[in-house]
Amino acid sequence: MSGPTPATVPSFRACRVAAHAVRSAQESRQAIATARPRGVAVLRSRAPLALLIRLAALEGRLVWRSPDAFAVLEAPTRGNLPEPSGPPGTGMLRFLNRHWDQMIFGSPALLALALAAVLAFFPAERTAALLAALFVMVWAGAVLTLVVLTGLIWVYRVLIAGRVKDLSEEVIGQLCALHWSIALLHADRPSEVAEILVEVSRCVTATVHGDSGGAGPGSPGDSRSDVVLCLEHGVTTMRARDAVQASEGVSRLPGHPVLIVSLGRDSLLREPPTSPTHPAAGIPLLLLSMATVVGFGAQQVAEFERARCAPTSCTGRPASYGDALYWLLNRLLGGDPEGLAAGSLQARSMGLLTSIMGLVIIGWVIASALQRAVARVVSSGPELARDYNLAVTRALSAQHAEHQPAAGSPPAAPPQAATSLVLAGGVIVMGVIGYVLGRAQRRSRRD
């Protein structure tokens, strides 16, 4: 991907003005949620709007007319597209954008742990070290609780309330992984939408077709596409959404808030190769957080117990680091080990927080397992792409038949037979899915 020219990169001040315009728009909440989806718990997984717009400009993914008329593009995550270049500082901004939620989650805990580790070397500051350690445990527990509640709410909406549409974000994500998409589009005047879409077409076409390297569009592993997905919720006003839908070469993805912008050569979607899954991206972060908290907490528990039982015997108390670590690991599973119990209030408090975190982890695992189970019985990205491509093919065939002379030869039979077979198979699949979901909903109501 070629780097942007200085004329296409607005200043950071202009990016802040553009971000303010988005926040003041009619559908700002939906647009911001589309451009900055949730990551860890309720934290946004992408950088603030001003930084996001600035990064898109540095990577050549920004169609810019003014702070009141622009579009932020997202490149497909699968394929052979090289990482975009940019001026100095682009790499750091890209890192912040990719790991924003993890940094917001981990930074307060790491800073508090570092502070507690320093204060622990000073006997007069042991109380402050304890407070810092307790803050880490409370912070991690609160974030993990939000993670579990979010997963359980999702399961409730899908299994009990029957809102299968809550899975649409995952299906759309599978399609966006193979196609360019418009994650954010802002236009105060709807008349500017058509001009923005023309610039989007030029930008994407120049990027994916400008440097072919001798490989054709249909070559294996080719990541180029002839459509752009416009996420309807990423358009900041209803008038602009209507203007996008009314533009030439734009069609709707049935049942989903996505508009398909054709780039002129072909309007078919590429089919994602995998079925929907809920990746457990938070597991490494979760395990690292738990290991850090338990490892540091064991040292604090041992010090509190030694201060409480000295100068008498500390038998049966987790006064050494090994015993304290063993005691906390047992508390993580919900109980005290035989022959070992804490006596100080500080150590018991840390043990109680550890037990709560253990319950949160169990709830998170259950919610994740239910999410994966539900995802297996709903329509996936490949099915959605096939249904859309079939509808487009049928429409093109009908238009072609209208322009054929009446005395011409009849169309070949195999495509019609294949179309009927695909339609019959689609009806059967949808019937089975509807039967499974109906039984699950009736069973949940009886329970």
Side-chain angles (χ1 to χ4, degrees):
M1 181 183 296
S2 60
T5 61
T8 62
V9 180
S11 64
F12 184 69
R13 183 176 182 275
C15 293
R16 292 179 58 189
V17 174
H20 177 73
V22 171
R23 288 191 292 267
S24 303
Q26 176 188 12
E27 304 293 335
S28 59
R29 293 185 61 182
Q30 283 188 339
I32 294 174
T34 301
R36 304 181 64 211
R38 302 290 184 183
V40 176
V42 296
L43 303 176
R44 298 291 183 185
S45 62
R46 293 292 180 264
L49 280 178
L51 296 180
L52 189 147
I53 296 172
R54 176 70 174 177
L55 176 62
L58 295 176
E59 292 183 340
R61 299 183 288 104
L62 179 67
V63 173
W64 179 268
R65 297 179 61 82
S66 70
D68 295 323
F70 62 91
V72 175
L73 305 178
E74 289 289 345
T77 56
R78 291 179 180 173
N80 300 325
L81 285 179
E83 192 171 75
S85 58
T90 304
M92 177 60 67
L93 193 56
R94 187 182 299 129
F95 177 83
L96 290 175
N97 185 58
R98 289 178 179 175
H99 306 285
W100 183 261
D101 55 343
Q102 299 178 21
M103 293 184 63
I104 297 299
F105 167 62
S107 296
L110 291 177
L111 292 175
L113 279 176
L115 178 62
V118 172
L119 295 177
F121 288 101
F122 303 95
E125 303 296 337
R126 293 293 171 82
T127 302
L130 170 65
L131 293 177
L134 290 178
F135 169 79
V136 174
M137 301 187 71
V138 171
W139 173 261
V143 173
L144 295 177
T145 301
L146 290 176
V147 171
V148 173
L149 289 178
T150 302
L152 293 179
I153 290 174
W154 184 93
V155 171
Y156 169 81
R157 288 177 176 177
V158 174
L159 288 182
I160 300 178
R163 292 175 54 181
V164 183
K165 288 185 177 180
D166 282 15
L167 291 169
S168 61
E169 292 184 2
E170 181 182 356
V171 176
I172 293 171
Q174 295 178 44
L175 297 179
C176 289
L178 295 177
H179 300 274
W180 283 81
S181 59
I182 303 175
L184 182 64
L185 191 153
H186 177 70
D188 276 349
R189 295 187 295 273
S191 58
E192 294 181 306
V193 168
E195 299 175 355
I196 292 177
L197 292 182
V198 170
E199 292 298 326
V200 167
S201 177
R202 291 175 181 171
C203 177
V204 175
T205 302
T207 301
V208 301
H209 294 299
D211 186 14
S212 60
S219 59
D222 181 64
S223 62
R224 56 193 68 184
S225 169
D226 292 304
V227 299
V228 174
L229 307 181
C230 179
L231 306 182
E232 195 173 16
H233 290 165
V235 184
T236 58
T237 64
M238 293 301 298
R239 295 175 61 192
R241 292 180 185 180
D242 295 338
V244 173
Q245 188 171 356
S247 300
E248 183 180 0
V250 176
S251 58
R252 177 178 289 277
L253 189 64
H256 295 271
V258 177
L259 299 173
I260 311 297
V261 182
S262 175
L263 301 185
R265 295 203 321 157
D266 194 358
S267 57
L268 300 181
L269 293 173
R270 293 167 60 91
E271 295 183 11
T274 58
S275 59
T277 56
H278 284 268
I283 288 182
L285 181 62
L286 178 66
L287 296 180
L288 177 62
S289 302
M290 287 302 305
T292 304
V293 169
V294 172
F296 182 79
Q299 179 64 33
Q300 296 295 309
V301 168
E303 292 181 1
F304 292 138
E305 289 300 298
R306 285 197 299 268
R308 179 68 182 269
C309 63
T312 59
S313 173
C314 292
T315 304
R317 306 279 286 272
S320 65
Y321 181 81
D323 288 342
L325 183 60
Y326 176 68
W327 179 75
L328 277 183
L329 290 176
N330 279 268
R331 292 298 305 175
L332 188 64
L333 301 178
D336 286 333
E338 184 178 357
L340 195 63
S344 63
L345 177 62
Q346 299 92 329
R348 290 180 177 179
S349 299
M350 298 188 72
L352 177 61
L353 289 175
T354 304
S355 298
I356 294 175
M357 293 179 68
L359 293 176
V360 169
I361 292 176
I362 294 175
W364 180 80
V365 171
I366 294 175
S368 299
L370 289 176
Q371 286 179 343
R372 289 190 177 90
V374 172
R376 295 190 184 100
V377 297
V378 299
S379 60
S380 62
E383 295 173 355
L384 184 63
R386 285 192 292 269
D387 292 342
Y388 176 81
N389 292 341
L390 178 60
V392 171
T393 303
R394 293 177 61 193
L396 292 177
S397 299
Q399 294 177 5
H400 181 70
E402 291 178 358
H403 291 84
Q404 289 295 325
S409 58
Q416 295 293 333
T419 298
S420 301
L421 182 61
V422 172
L423 284 175
V427 170
I428 294 174
V429 170
M430 294 306 297
V432 172
I433 292 175
Y435 175 77
V436 173
L437 290 178
R439 287 193 59 187
Q441 189 170 5
R442 287 195 299 271
R443 189 182 300 111
S444 63
R445 289 176 178 175
R446 288 197 303 268
D447 296 339

